[in-house]
Amino acid sequence: MLNALRRVFKHYEDYHAYGPPRLKAMGYLGAFTYVVFYFLRFTRPNPNLFDDLPARALAVLLFLLMGMREFWPDRLKPYYIRYSYFVLLYCLPCFTVLVALQRGGGVAAISNAFIILCFLVLLTDWRNTLVMLVAGTAMAALIYVATTANPKVPMDLIAQLPAFALIVIGGNLFKADTERIDAERKLRATQALAGSIAHEMRHPLSQLKHSLEGMQDLLPAPGGPQAALEPGQLQALYRHLGHGEQAVKRGLQVISMTLDEVSARPIDTSAFRYLSAAEVVQQAVEEYGYESEEARDKVLVKIEKDFTFRGDETAYLFVLFNLIKNALYYLKPFPDTRVTIIVGDHQVRVRDNGPGIAPEVLRGLFEPFRSVGKSGGTGLGLAYCQRVMRAFGGEIECDSAPGEFTEFSMRFPAISDEEREQHRLAAVADARTMLAGKRVLIVEDDPIQRMATRQKLGPLALTTELEEAADGQVALGMLARRAYDVVLLDLHMPGLDGYAVAEKLRRDPGPNQDVRIVAYTSEPAHLARAKALKCGMDGFVSKPCAQLPLLAALQQAVQNQHGKGSTARLAGRRILVADDSAFNRKAVAAYLRNTAAIVIEVEHGQAVLEQLHAQDGISAVIVDLHMPGMDGLETTRAIRASLEAWSTIPVIALTARSDEPAVAAATAAGMNAFIVKPVDAQVLYDTLARLVAPGAAQTPVTEAALPPEPPPQEGLLNLQRLESYRRLGMLEELIADYVPEMARLVDKLQGAVAGADVQGSIDALHSLLGMSGEAGAQALYQQVRRLYVPLLEEGEWPAGSAWLPELQALARRTEEALRAYCDTASRSAA
């Protein structure tokens, strides 16, 4: 019997599994109506009417407590559902039947019975509706018989039993049908969501598979002679590793974006920072996972006028990835498709000459689960794009003509010159404060780029010691003689490159074995980052880099150095990790042991409680939400409900999902924080440090806004960068040094191509890439990058013979434009 009642109550718990809004609303509504109905009787006084004030007052109190759940102590909240069951049982069937019996029936009693039955059907499943009706009626009858001298059965109530039964049966049938329709809708939405994720994940998984196959081809056969990899093979192995990591990152981003959109999770505006539209667009085009080199060549970036906007870089990259993906979707049936991304006038436009979109479809294009002629798509991506742009304070629109073009326009709110300048000054001041008294070593073989880097770090000159090294060997000599705080290290240098310098520093004991190393290179980030981290580097900043982002990169490096804060505060702490997956436990435990924390591993919730009882001094519990037996939520409730000293211990959820229902459930259970799988080590450290030692979490560093720029000049130049050079007094020096050097590198490239020297071409393009970017030659920079990345990855020149003359012609036009800009600036200054 007891087990049967438990099973029935479990249905009630499941019925209210997604939070207490209905019960909370009923609590306030019940309290209000019970008070109002009591005073309504005084409009028609009846001295013979039974006064139910004591029983009604109890019902009002119970209802109010049910409505005020958020004010309950945390240790009592786990018992809320059980309490609500008792409240509904007493306040609905028991109270109503008792009052009806005591009043001898009547119209009012019959009306109240109908109302109560309707509420009971709405608030419970059919099993508990019947149980509550039977139990409540029986309780009321027993109380009536025990408290009344001459109990009578009101026949008018008995006469209404068929109507009462009709309400219960019909209401539950109607509700069951509604629930079936809702379940079918949810099933279809789930199927659409699963299909969307599968569709979106197909490409990154294919890319990952390709990378793994490439790595497998390079590895020697097991059991055979263990031959060393040749340099070219080693580079290819790292290239495949970089592509694989990029594919995994893109896949996780797809999942995050989809879940955020489905749950309508708000975008965190506190993490917004000032971003260059041109830089983010260029980053998106470079990092997007293309299916082929042909697809990569179809995307062109045109910078008419860069601008600054305030937003989240990752969210906006998602937007651009989605729009690029949509534009390239029809590449196979429409091989002449071209995608142009245009930056200018506070907007970014993504235009393609694909099949277009019919006018009747445009109106609902940004609605969730709306897809246009795409197998497996749901339109969640475009809905997410709209949410992101609205969070940025902007808007996104689509214009299209079937058979001609499709253009998505993203308009951003203007950032005033005053706001930009205030942010720039604040960022420089922060960097100057953080880097005060520090020694920074700039390692760069190119004297012009060395000079440009030193100029960008000029605001630090009064408080920070800046030194230079012309190559890796000189740098090692300087690093052997004195200690530095940060090394800004170029990766691509003749002789001893940046990778070798970093590896030797980390391997050999010395004053700089733990120095912070920031890689500074024009190599593609997804290819260089894996090698840089493997060699022990701590940060990565791409060339060309504006002044303020470079300062921010150094600032971030020094912050991490100071505080090894998050990790230092974890040393010696006892951390309890609960996860039924041994692999997940070992991964988290390995991260924590790296900070000298003491890790206790268990595989279910009951073991967590046992360890807390058995051991003193546990600082925090990391618990997986989904475990067999006692899951993470139940474990946390049990911890909070205990009367032990550890009932307030920090509890962190380890979960693969962070949607609103999951967050709400974890918060209600008493959890303190979320860590989303796969676990990021730094997020793990920062979260734990914040909870075990309040105030230890690091403040994220934001990139600074770029200064305002003058009107564009035919798209050849990055006038924003040139204007910053002019303010620094470097413009004439730029023309005198950079322009001849770019011409020399173009000639060097021509000679390498004529001699079929692939490595020489890579070296020339690498130097020209960094030089053109620093000089503000944006069109030349973009063209060089389109040539450099495929050549570096595949070791082959572009198809055809026109690419070199086109590059030479572009270099000549760039030189003319640079000289003309310099002449104009000189005349303006005079």
Side-chain angles (χ1 to χ4, degrees), residues 690-710:
R690 172 172 56 84
L691 293 174
V692 301
Q698 299 296 321
T699 302
V701 179
T702 60
E703 288 187 5
L706 298 175
E709 60 180 277

Side-chain angles (χ1 to χ4, degrees), residues 561-628:
Q561 183 183 36
H562 278 315
K564 291 181 180 180
S566 325
T567 56
R569 284 179 170 81
L570 300 181
R573 299 272 187 177
R574 290 179 179 269
I575 311 296
L576 180 56
V577 180
D579 196 316
D580 60 304
S581 168
F583 177 82
N584 290 341
R585 282 201 316 274
K586 288 179 180 178
V588 174
Y591 287 142
L592 293 174
R593 291 190 178 108
N594 193 44
T595 69
I598 301 169
V599 184
I600 306 160
E601 299 180 48
V602 297
E603 57 186 31
H604 52 76
Q606 186 59 44
V608 171
L609 300 179
E610 292 170 0
Q611 288 295 330
L612 289 171
H613 278 289
Q615 297 199 40
D616 294 329
I618 295 178
S619 299
V621 177
I622 301 174
V623 58
D624 184 28
L625 282 187
H626 302 286
M627 297 183 294

Side-chain angles (χ1 to χ4, degrees), residues 533-700:
L533 294 177
K534 183 68 174 178
C535 294
M537 300 188 196
D538 305 285
F540 190 96
V541 61
S542 295
K543 293 181 184 177
C545 183
Q547 180 188 54
L548 295 183
L550 179 59
L551 290 174
L554 296 180
Q555 184 180 355
Q556 180 70 57
V558 172
Q559 273 190 320
N560 290 340
Q561 183 183 36
H562 278 315
K564 291 181 180 180
S566 325
T567 56
R569 284 179 170 81
L570 300 181
R573 299 272 187 177
R574 290 179 179 269
I575 311 296
L576 180 56
V577 180
D579 196 316
D580 60 304
S581 168
F583 177 82
N584 290 341
R585 282 201 316 274
K586 288 179 180 178
V588 174
Y591 287 142
L592 293 174
R593 291 190 178 108
N594 193 44
T595 69
I598 301 169
V599 184
I600 306 160
E601 299 180 48
V602 297
E603 57 186 31
H604 52 76
Q606 186 59 44
V608 171
L609 300 179
E610 292 170 0
Q611 288 295 330
L612 289 171
H613 278 289
Q615 297 199 40
D616 294 329
I618 295 178
S619 299
V621 177
I622 301 174
V623 58
D624 184 28
L625 282 187
H626 302 286
M627 297 183 294
M630 181 181 285
D631 63 17
L633 295 176
E634 292 174 316
T635 302
T636 307
R637 292 191 195 104
I639 292 173
R640 297 297 183 234
S642 72
L643 300 179
E644 304 290 341
W646 38 261
S647 63
T648 59
I649 191 172
V651 180
I652 300 170
L654 189 63
T655 176
R657 51 182 289 229
S658 58
D659 52 274
E660 289 301 318
V663 173
T667 303
M671 290 185 166
N672 303 94
F674 257 87
I675 295 180
V676 181
K677 300 177 185 178
V679 176
D680 179 272
Q682 194 58 48
V683 172
L684 174 66
Y685 300 152
D686 290 345
T687 303
L688 275 171
R690 172 172 56 84
L691 293 174
V692 301
Q698 299 296 321
T699 302

Side-chain angles (χ1 to χ4, degrees), residues 203 207 246 249-250 253 275-291 295-301 303 309 312-326 328 339-343 348-350 385 410 412 524-526 529 542 781-782 785-786 789:
H203 174 59
Q207 184 180 353
Q246 187 183 37
K249 181 180 178 181
R250 292 294 164 256
Q253 288 172 340
L275 302 167
S276 161
E279 290 182 5
V280 178
V281 166
Q282 194 66 53
Q283 181 182 352
V285 172
E286 291 172 6
E287 295 187 4
Y288 180 76
Y290 300 92
E291 293 188 4
R296 182 196 296 264
D297 294 338
K298 300 290 186 181
V299 181
L300 174 68
V301 176
I303 310 295
F309 69 92
D312 180 79
E313 182 181 77
T314 301
Y316 192 54
L317 284 174
F318 283 4
V319 171
L320 292 171
F321 289 155
N322 189 74
L323 296 180
I324 293 172
K325 178 202 67 177
N326 288 345
L328 294 176
V339 183
T340 305
I341 306 178
I342 306 158
V343 178
V348 176
R349 290 177 289 143
V350 180
C385 292
M410 292 163 283
F412 297 80
H526 67 282
R529 186 174 282 110
S542 295
Y781 170 81
Q782 293 165 6
R785 182 166 282 278
R786 281 194 291 271
V789 174

Side-chain angles (χ1 to χ4, degrees), residues 117-188:
L117 279 176
C118 292
F119 275 114
L120 199 60
V121 168
L122 288 173
L123 292 171
T124 61
D125 63 285
W126 68 269
R127 303 168 191 82
N128 284 282
T129 298
L130 296 178
V131 169
M132 284 189 178
L133 281 175
V134 172
T137 302
M139 288 171 56
L142 289 175
I143 295 173
Y144 176 63
V145 170
T147 59
T148 305
N150 186 23
K152 296 179 181 179
V153 178
M155 297 310 297
D156 54 351
L157 282 178
I158 300 298
Q160 297 298 324
L161 286 179
F164 294 155
L166 182 62
I167 289 177
V168 173
I169 296 172
N172 278 286
L173 287 176
F174 176 78
K175 189 170 65 172
D177 189 58
T178 302
E179 290 174 353
R180 182 186 60 78
I181 294 173
D182 288 342
E184 187 173 344
R185 287 175 179 169
K186 290 177 182 177
L187 177 61
R188 290 180 180 177

Side-chain angles (χ1 to χ4, degrees), residues 364-422:
L365 195 61
F366 294 98
E367 295 177 6
F369 300 103
R370 179 69 64 92
S371 182
V372 183
K374 295 180 181 178
S375 174
T378 65
L380 284 174
L382 289 179
Y384 182 81
C385 292
Q386 186 178 63
R387 282 210 310 126
V388 169
M389 288 304 301
R390 287 176 177 173
F392 291 176
E395 56 184 8
I396 180 172
E397 294 178 350
C398 181
D399 185 23
S400 183
E404 296 182 23
F405 73 94
T406 297
E407 181 175 280
F408 286 90
S409 300
M410 292 163 283
R411 284 187 284 277
F412 297 80
I415 303 294
S416 68
D417 293 347
E418 181 182 0
E419 182 180 352
R420 257 198 308 261
E421 184 62 14
Q422 286 178 351

